[in-house]
Amino acid sequence: MAAGEAGGVGLAKSAEKLFSLSGLFAVYKPKGPTSAGVLNLLKEKLLAEAGVQTNGKKRNKILKIGHGGTLDSAAAGVLVVGIGKGTKMLRTMLAGSKKYTAIGLLGQATDTLDATGKVTEEKPYDQITQGDLENVLQKFTGDIMQVPPLYSALKKDGERLSTLMKRGEAVEAKPARPVRVYSLSLQRFQPPLFTLDVECGGGFYVRSLVSDIGKELSTCATMQELTRTKHGPFTLEEHALYEDKWTIDEIARSLEHCTSLLPGEPSHKKLKTEHPGETAVSCE
């Protein structure tokens, strides 16, 4: 067999293996790109490895891939990906619990509630002690009401609120809605910075939490950094594939490994956080 023919057979086998992949796995989303951007890069890499040439529009039809909950472009961490029939399992991921590590900054507020926005307010914070902060956290644990941020992936008339805000259109805040916080703890306190570990249910915004904590302390606060460390049974340490591992074989191995995670996951009681006219995007 000629070298060219052997290469062709190899690519055909790679393509066959790629299109047979099915299930859920996790990738690492770095700070910077959007969740959709990470997904597009993943598709490009896999299709290129399989020797499948497509233009952008056809790529979506050829390879069925989706993610289980948006992570803000400024955030990093676990992004759960469904491939093949696994895309149908992503709805359950949206309602599942998630863990985050967040760094907040006291004394400053922004329009986006994170470091990417314009500063809208500054207040003194010197009076706040570690004990004050720890006491306030108890008010934000359990079943609470939360107003989602205006800069978010929630939609109004089919368009993201963040898109409308960037265009300068007037956007009304969504009403407060029930969300669930399973655990909330202070990891570090080095004023003006503080680090939180949060485990929450679907529809929760860590940016809103940090902002609300600032208000409760009679100052203001904005989120500086956010890392999703766990989503459902998928953890950053054990399961998230970094970009150098975005290959057909690595994903096949990961799918096999992650299959055992899914049936045994303890199901947190689902909390309805979706509202008519909104998409079921997850926390951040």
Side-chain angles (χ1 to χ4, degrees), residues 73-88:
S73 52
V78 177
L79 188 67
V80 176
V81 177
I83 188 166
K85 290 177 182 172
T87 53
K88 291 178 181 174

Side-chain angles (χ1 to χ4, degrees), residues 13-21 46-47 50 52 63 83 248:
K13 282 190 175 178
S14 292
E16 193 181 327
K17 186 168 186 178
L18 172 60
F19 295 122
S20 71
L21 296 178
L46 294 175
L47 290 169
V52 179
L63 187 61
I83 188 166
I248 295 167

Side-chain angles (χ1 to χ4, degrees), residues 115-189:
T116 65
K118 292 175 189 167
V119 176
T120 55
E121 192 179 15
E122 289 186 302
K123 281 187 172 182
Y125 59 86
D126 300 350
Q127 73 283 10
I128 296 162
T129 65
Q130 182 165 336
D132 293 335
L133 192 44
E134 284 172 338
N135 288 338
V136 157
L137 296 187
Q138 294 169 23
K139 294 186 179 183
F140 295 99
T141 307
D143 291 338
I144 62 170
M145 298 298 286
Q146 185 187 66
V147 176
L150 287 174
Y151 278 89
S152 70
L154 296 177
K155 292 187 178 180
K156 179 192 174 188
D157 302 329
E159 279 202 272
R160 288 185 174 207
L161 295 186
S162 54
T163 306
L164 297 172
M165 289 288 290
K166 283 170 189 169
R167 281 212 301 263
E169 294 185 26
V171 176
E172 280 184 35
K174 293 279 184 185
R177 57 195 196 165
V179 290
R180 183 167 289 174
V181 179
Y182 297 104
S183 65
L184 177 58
S185 59
L186 180 66
Q187 297 304 309
R188 291 184 82 183
F189 183 64

Side-chain angles (χ1 to χ4, degrees), residues 9-42:
V9 170
L11 284 176
K13 282 190 175 178
S14 292
E16 193 181 327
K17 186 168 186 178
L18 172 60
F19 295 122
S20 71
L21 296 178
S22 190
L24 296 179
F25 63 102
V27 298
Y28 173 75
K29 185 196 109 47
K31 197 174 168 180
T34 63
S35 298
V38 168
L39 219 56
N40 285 333
L41 180 61
L42 175 64

Side-chain angles (χ1 to χ4, degrees), residues 50-124:
V52 179
Q53 292 183 339
T54 63
N55 63 34
K57 287 180 183 176
K58 285 185 179 174
R59 195 186 304 135
N60 297 332
K61 292 177 184 175
I62 286 177
L63 187 61
K64 209 172 180 187
I65 275 187
H67 67 70
T70 306
L71 251 183
D72 276 353
S73 52
V78 177
L79 188 67
V80 176
V81 177
I83 188 166
K85 290 177 182 172
T87 53
K88 291 178 181 174
M89 301 158 77
L90 291 171
R91 291 294 290 182
T92 59
M93 293 307 302
L94 287 164
S97 80
K98 303 160 189 76
K99 283 186 181 176
Y100 293 88
T101 298
I103 298 175
L105 174 75
L106 290 167
Q108 196 176 85
T110 68
D111 55 359
T112 59
L113 310 188
D114 66 16
T116 65
K118 292 175 189 167
V119 176
T120 55
E121 192 179 15
E122 289 186 302
K123 281 187 172 182

Side-chain angles (χ1 to χ4, degrees), residues 200-234:
C200 55
F204 185 84
Y205 282 87
V206 184
R207 281 180 288 149
S208 293
L209 169 70
V210 171
S211 174
D212 292 344
I213 286 170
K215 289 171 189 167
E216 195 67 35
L217 289 165
S218 301
T219 180
C220 48
T222 190
M223 193 176 72
Q224 294 298 289
E225 283 186 35
L226 184 70
T227 304
R228 184 152 70 196
T229 56
K230 192 170 187 277
H231 188 172
F234 298 91

